[in-house]
Amino acid sequence: MTESEHGTTERGTVNLAITRMAHGGEGIGNDADGRVVFVAGALPGTPSPRA
């Protein structure tokens, strides 16, 4: 796990269910630990790509 210059944690690929939209247009989901994740270009109900 690494921490970026913006204070966010980068852990690689994570599969999420996007459940809602943020005001700025990003999709919002939760990771397995319950943390909120903002995803640019994602839409609610769209399956996340698998790596």
Side-chain angles (χ1 to χ4, degrees):
M1 213 177 328
T2 62
E3 190 159 325
S4 74
E5 63 188 58
H6 300 292
T8 58
T9 302
E10 298 173 11
R11 297 190 295 167
T13 302
V14 177
N15 288 317
L16 300 170
I18 304 301
T19 56
R20 56 200 185 277
M21 295 296 292
H23 181 70
E26 295 175 309
I28 303 173
N30 295 86
D31 70 5
D33 296 326
R35 289 179 285 228
V36 176
V37 180
F38 292 85
V39 182
L43 298 172
T46 303
S48 61
R50 300 194 180 257

